[in-house]
C-alpha cells in the first residue's frame, strides 16, 4: 500500500501538488476562522466562512465537470482572491484597516475577468463547430466588455445588499465640499462650490469627528469601476497579442483557461 501511495504522488504533476497545497492551507485557515467565529457567536462570520469553502469548490467543479483546464497561476490567484475578499476583507476588516485593500481586489478582478473573457471567446474561435473566426482585436474588445459587465453586476449586488439588508458593501467617503448647480441661487446651470464648514447630525458635530459629509457609496462605486477598467484594459491588451500569435504568449497562458482534450488526463 505504501508503494502505491508513493507512486501516485510521484505521478501527480508538480503544479498540481502546489495547487493542492495552496487550497489545503487556505481551507485549513478558513476552518480555523469558522471555529473562531463560532466561539464569538458571530453567525454572520460563520456564514462567510462556509461560503468561502463553497467558493473554493468552484474551480474544482469547472475542472472536473466542464473539462476546462485552469492554469495553475490562475487557480492559485482565484483561491487567494476569495480568501482575501471574504476572510481577510470581511471577517478581519481588512477593507477598513488596510488602505486600498478593496481597490487592489477590484483591480485584480478586472484583470482576471478579462482573462476568462478571452478564454470564452478563444475556445469558440478555435472550435471546428463554428464557421466564423474572430479577429484578435474583436476578441480583446469582447474580453474587456465581459470584464466590465461582471464589475457592473457586482456593483449592482453591493447596492442591493446595502439597500435591502442594511449592509455597507459600498464603503463611504468623506466629502469636504459640495459642487452642485442646485445650489445656484439664480437657477442657472453654473456650478456652485460650497465648502462644508458646519455639519451636525443628531446633535453630533460630524465635521469635527469625521472631517465632512459622508458620501454613501457613489465615489466608492466609481472608484471600483475605474480600477476594474484598468485591470480589464491591461489584460485585454495582453490577450490581443496572445490571440494574434495563436497562443504563443507564455505570460497570458498562465491566466487563460482552455478546453481540455478528451484524451488529456486530469490533474
Amino acid at each position: 500500500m505504501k508503494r502505491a501511495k508513493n507512486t501516485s504522488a510521484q505521478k501527480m504533476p508538480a503544479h498540481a501538488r502546489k495547487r493542492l497545497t495552496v487550497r489545503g492551507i487556505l481551507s485549513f485557515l478558513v476552518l480555523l476562522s469558522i471555529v473562531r467565529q463560532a466561539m464569538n457567536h458571530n453567525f454572520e462570520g460563520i456564514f462567510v466562512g462556509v461560503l468561502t469553502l463553497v467558493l473554493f469548490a468552484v474551480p474544482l467543479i469547472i475542472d472536473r465537470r466542464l473539462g476546462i483546464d485552469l492554469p495553475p497561476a490562475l487557480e492559485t490567484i482565484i483561491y487567494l482572491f476569495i480568501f482575501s475578499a471574504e476572510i481577510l476583507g470581511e471577517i478581519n476588516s481588512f477593507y477598513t484597516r488596510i488602505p486600498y485593500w478593496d481597490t487592489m481586489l477590484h483591480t485584480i478582478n478586472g484583470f482576471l475577468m478579462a482573462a476568462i473573457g478571452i478564454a470564452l471567446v478563444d475556445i469558440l474561435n478555435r472550435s471546428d463547430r463554428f464557421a466564423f473566426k474572430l479577429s484578435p482585436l474583436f476578441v480583446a474588445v469582447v474580453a474587456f466588455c465581459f470584464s466590465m459587465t461582471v464589475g457592473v453586476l457586482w456593483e449592482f449586488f453591493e447596492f442591493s445588499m446595502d439597500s435591502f439588508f442594511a449592509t455597507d458593501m459600498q464603503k463611504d467617503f468623506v466629502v469636504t465640499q459640495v459642487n452642485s448647480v442646485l445650489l445656484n441661487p439664480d437657477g442657472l446651470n453654473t456650478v456652485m462650490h460650497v465648502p462644508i464648514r458646519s455639519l451636525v447630525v443628531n446633535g453630533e458635530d460630524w465635521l469635527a469627528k469625521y472631517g465632512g459629509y459622508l458620501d454613501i457609496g457613489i465615489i466608492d462605486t466609481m472608484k471600483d469601476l475605474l480600477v476594474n477598467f484598468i485591470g480589464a484594459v491591461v489584460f485585454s491588451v495582453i490577450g490581443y497579442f496572445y490571440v494574434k500569435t495563436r497562443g504563443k504568449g507564455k505570460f497570458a497562458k498562465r491566466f487563460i483557461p482552455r478546453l481540455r482534450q478528451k484524451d488529456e488526463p486530469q490533474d
Side-chain angles (χ1 to χ4, degrees), residues 28-247:
F28 177 72
L29 293 176
V30 173
L31 290 174
L32 289 180
S33 180
I34 292 175
V35 172
R36 178 188 169 195
Q37 299 308 309
M39 294 175 63
N40 294 331
H41 303 286
N42 184 358
F43 298 104
E44 182 179 350
I46 295 173
F47 172 77
V48 171
V50 174
L51 176 63
T52 302
L53 293 178
V54 173
L55 293 175
F56 277 178
V58 173
L60 288 176
I61 296 174
I62 294 175
D63 183 81
R64 303 292 172 85
R65 299 293 184 184
L66 301 180
I68 297 177
D69 180 53
L70 299 178
L74 175 63
E75 188 170 348
T76 299
I77 291 176
I78 290 175
Y79 290 133
L80 292 174
F81 181 87
I82 296 171
F83 184 82
S84 299
E86 301 298 332
I87 303 302
L88 298 181
E90 293 290 345
I91 294 180
N92 293 286
S93 301
F94 273 36
Y95 286 128
T96 53
R97 292 179 177 178
I98 307 297
Y100 307 111
W101 186 262
D102 183 59
T103 300
M104 176 193 68
L105 292 179
H106 277 278
T107 307
I108 295 174
N109 178 73
F111 187 88
L112 294 180
M113 290 302 103
I116 294 175
I118 287 282
L120 293 175
V121 182
D122 195 45
I123 288 174
L124 296 177
N125 216 21
R126 296 188 179 196
S127 176
D128 296 332
R129 297 180 180 180
F130 298 92
F132 59 87
K133 295 296 179 182
L134 305 178
S135 68
L137 179 61
F138 187 84
V139 174
V141 170
V142 171
F144 169 78
C145 294
F146 176 81
S147 178
M148 290 304 300
T149 300
V150 172
V152 170
L153 291 177
W154 178 255
E155 293 303 319
F156 286 170
F157 172 74
E158 287 189 349
F159 174 77
S160 300
M161 292 297 293
D162 292 351
S163 299
F164 299 108
F165 297 98
T167 60
D168 188 24
M169 297 187 71
Q170 293 177 301
K171 298 298 184 288
D172 302 331
F173 278 77
V174 175
V175 178
T176 59
Q177 179 173 286
V178 177
N179 307 302
S180 175
V181 297
L182 291 178
L183 300 179
N184 191 304
D186 300 323
L188 301 176
N189 190 32
T190 303
V191 178
M192 299 297 294
H193 308 284
V194 181
I196 299 175
R197 297 192 178 95
S198 175
L199 181 63
V200 178
V201 179
N202 296 332
E204 185 178 30
D205 187 356
W206 276 28
L207 186 64
K209 187 173 183 179
Y210 300 110
Y213 166 77
L214 290 182
D215 169 77
I216 51 174
I218 298 176
I219 296 177
D220 179 73
T221 296
M222 296 310 299
K223 181 264 300 176
D224 291 344
L225 291 177
L226 177 61
V227 296
N228 191 103
F229 169 85
I230 294 173
V233 167
V234 169
F235 199 88
S236 295
V237 172
I238 295 173
Y240 167 79
F241 290 103
Y242 170 82
V243 177
K244 189 177 180 65
T245 57
R246 299 299 180 186

Side-chain angles (χ1 to χ4, degrees), residues 11-17 19 23 60 63-64 68-72 75 258 260 264-267:
K11 287 182 179 180
M12 181 181 293
H15 62 81
R17 291 199 298 270
R19 284 189 288 189
R23 185 168 63 240
L60 288 176
D63 183 81
R64 303 292 172 85
I68 297 177
D69 180 53
L70 299 178
E75 188 170 348
R258 65 183 181 85
R260 186 183 293 108
E264 187 177 350
Q266 295 180 347
D267 293 335

